[in-house]
């Protein structure tokens, strides 16, 4: 293929690529508007984009940022649809563009090279937070990036000094994080707590599975039953979406009564399901 023809083909592909970007932004907006990702088995739009669509984290972050910002600034989406702006640049100005300055930032995004645009955004918004990420670098090694307050930085340095003293050798930040996270999980991880409780040598007491007291007030869920449910479901949402995908969320976890307490449901583990907040809310929206 001749060079000029190859160039023309590249221009055509770029136009198609930018049109696809705009189409994907529109789809994400619609899925986000009614939280439709929940029906597919995902707890959030980000998890849907990465898990359901196979997008890498940074790519999903950019598209979601632009999709949500475009609701506030429709001209942002218009510029993408017209092909004068790509999602990468649009996401870069999302932290600074507002209705009052939208024309100024849209012009900057469509005319400035990416590096210059980054400098302009940094100058206008110097206090922007560092975006947290964990990036694989090789084998089983990853790089952690996050922002720190001066107070937390001082705590970490003190912990590093104490750990180095205890081990009689210089300890890295990774060593400090490993020790701190291990101690936290040992004390706070619901699955580990449930495991310890079920392995207790003390004889278990009979469990009252009634969900109501004699006066009609609601009884708290017995700890022993809560532990059983945690161990059974491993602290993970059990909702299965329309495409057969089980929710992967282990965050914002709640216990759902399959037969509602108001309709006579008891506290037995068979009447309890582990759901994340998003899917717990979806179930109640459907059942009323």
């Amino acid at each position: 293929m001749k060079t000029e023809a190859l160039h023309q083909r590249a221009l055509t592909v770029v136009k198609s690529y930018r049109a696809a970007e705009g189409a994907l932004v529109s789809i994400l907006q619609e899925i986000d508007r009614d939280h439709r990702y929940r029906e597919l088995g995902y707890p959030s739009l980000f998890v849907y984009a990465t898990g359901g669509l196979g997008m890498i984290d940074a790519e999903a972050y950019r598209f979601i940022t632009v999709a949500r910002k475009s609701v506030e600034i429709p001209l942002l989406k218009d510029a993408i649809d017209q092909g004068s702006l790509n999602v990468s640049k649009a996401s870069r100005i999302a932290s600074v563009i507002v209705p009052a300055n939208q024309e100024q930032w849209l012009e900057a995004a469509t005319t400035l090279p990416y590096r210059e645009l980054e400098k302009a955004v940094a100058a206008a918004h110097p206090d922007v937070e560092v975006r947290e990420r964990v990036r694989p670098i090789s084998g089983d090694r990853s790089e952690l990036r996050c922002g720190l307050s001066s107070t937390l930085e001082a705590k970490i340095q003190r912990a590093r000094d104490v750990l180095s003293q205890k081990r009689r050798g210089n300890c890295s930040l990774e060593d400090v994080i490993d020790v701190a996270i291990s101690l936290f999980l040992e004390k706070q991880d619901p699955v580990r707590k449930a495991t310890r409780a079920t392995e207790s040598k003390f004889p278990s007491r009979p469990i009252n599975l009634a969900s109501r007291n004699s006066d009609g007030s609601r009884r708290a869920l017995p700890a022993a039953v809560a532990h059983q449910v945690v161990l059974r479901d491993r602290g993970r949402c059990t909702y299965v979406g329309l495409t057969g995908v089980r929710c992967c969320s282990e965050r914002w976890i709640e216990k759902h009564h399959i037969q509602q307490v108001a309709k006579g449901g008891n506290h037995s583990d068979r009447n309890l399901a582990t759901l994340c907040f998003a899917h717990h809310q979806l179930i109640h929206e459907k059942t009323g």
Side-chain angles (χ1 to χ4, degrees):
M1 183 179 291
K2 293 183 178 181
T3 302
E4 184 177 351
L6 191 62
H7 173 60
Q8 291 302 319
R9 183 180 176 186
L11 290 174
T12 300
V13 171
V14 167
K15 288 181 181 179
S16 299
Y17 172 75
R18 290 190 174 178
E21 281 195 327
L24 181 54
V25 169
S26 296
I27 292 170
L28 291 175
Q29 285 179 328
E30 189 170 351
I31 289 176
D32 193 35
R33 185 181 304 116
D34 301 321
H35 311 302
R36 296 191 187 186
Y37 49 79
R38 299 180 304 177
E39 297 181 69
L40 296 168
Y42 300 96
S44 69
L45 186 61
F46 181 79
V47 177
Y48 166 69
T50 54
L53 302 181
M55 302 171 72
I56 62 173
D57 289 6
E59 184 180 44
Y61 176 83
R62 286 196 297 270
F63 271 87
I64 291 172
T65 297
V66 172
R68 290 174 172 168
K69 194 65 179 184
S70 295
V71 175
E72 178 190 356
I73 312 289
L75 286 179
L76 192 64
K77 178 65 164 53
D78 291 343
I80 294 172
D81 290 339
Q82 293 164 9
S84 60
L85 184 63
N86 60 35
V87 167
S88 181
K89 279 190 170 183
S91 67
R92 195 66 192 87
I93 64 172
S95 62
V96 292
I97 190 171
V98 294
N101 64 19
Q102 57 183 325
E103 293 181 359
Q104 169 195 337
W105 280 110
L106 283 170
E107 181 181 0
T110 54
T111 58
L112 292 177
Y114 191 82
R115 292 281 187 184
E116 294 301 317
L117 182 62
E118 281 189 316
K119 292 179 181 179
V121 171
H125 197 4
D127 58 339
V128 66
E129 294 184 3
V130 175
R131 185 163 65 87
E132 298 176 354
R133 72 176 184 184
V134 177
R135 182 175 65 89
I137 50 177
S138 64
D140 63 346
R141 304 289 297 168
S142 296
E143 177 186 72
L144 170 65
R145 177 183 178 184
C146 66
L148 299 176
S149 68
S150 57
T151 301
L152 179 55
E153 184 180 357
K155 289 180 180 179
I156 291 175
Q157 185 56 52
R158 176 56 180 160
R160 190 175 181 180
D161 292 341
V162 171
L163 187 61
S164 296
Q165 176 71 22
K166 182 176 181 179
R167 293 185 175 180
R168 298 184 180 279
N170 187 47
C171 291
S172 65
L173 290 177
E174 181 180 3
D175 294 327
V176 173
I177 293 172
D178 181 39
V179 170
I181 297 299
S182 296
L183 287 173
F184 173 81
L185 290 178
E186 185 60 31
K187 290 182 176 293
Q188 302 298 331
D189 183 1
V191 175
R192 296 189 188 186
K193 291 169 72 173
T195 300
R196 288 197 298 270
T198 57
E199 292 176 349
S200 173
K201 296 180 180 179
F202 293 102
S204 58
R205 301 176 181 177
I207 304 173
N208 183 352
L209 299 179
S211 58
R212 298 286 186 184
N213 293 308
S214 57
D215 62 0
S217 61
R218 183 162 176 166
R219 294 185 68 250
L221 181 67
V225 176
H227 290 323
Q228 290 172 7
V229 175
V230 168
L231 283 179
R232 182 193 68 197
D233 300 333
R234 307 307 296 175
R236 176 184 167 189
C237 179
T238 58
Y239 184 88
V240 177
L242 297 176
T243 57
V245 173
R246 177 182 169 181
C247 179
C248 62
S249 181
E250 297 180 4
R251 185 181 295 189
W252 318 126
I253 294 301
E254 301 174 347
K255 293 176 180 63
H256 166 68
H257 285 81
I258 299 170
Q259 180 182 5
Q260 297 177 22
V261 171
K263 296 180 180 180
N266 64 18
H267 282 333
S268 72
D269 63 307
R270 292 187 299 275
N271 192 44
L272 290 165
T274 302
L275 296 174
C276 65
F277 174 79
H279 287 123
H280 198 180
Q281 187 180 48
L282 176 62
I283 292 294
H284 281 290
E285 288 174 3
K286 288 183 173 182
T287 59

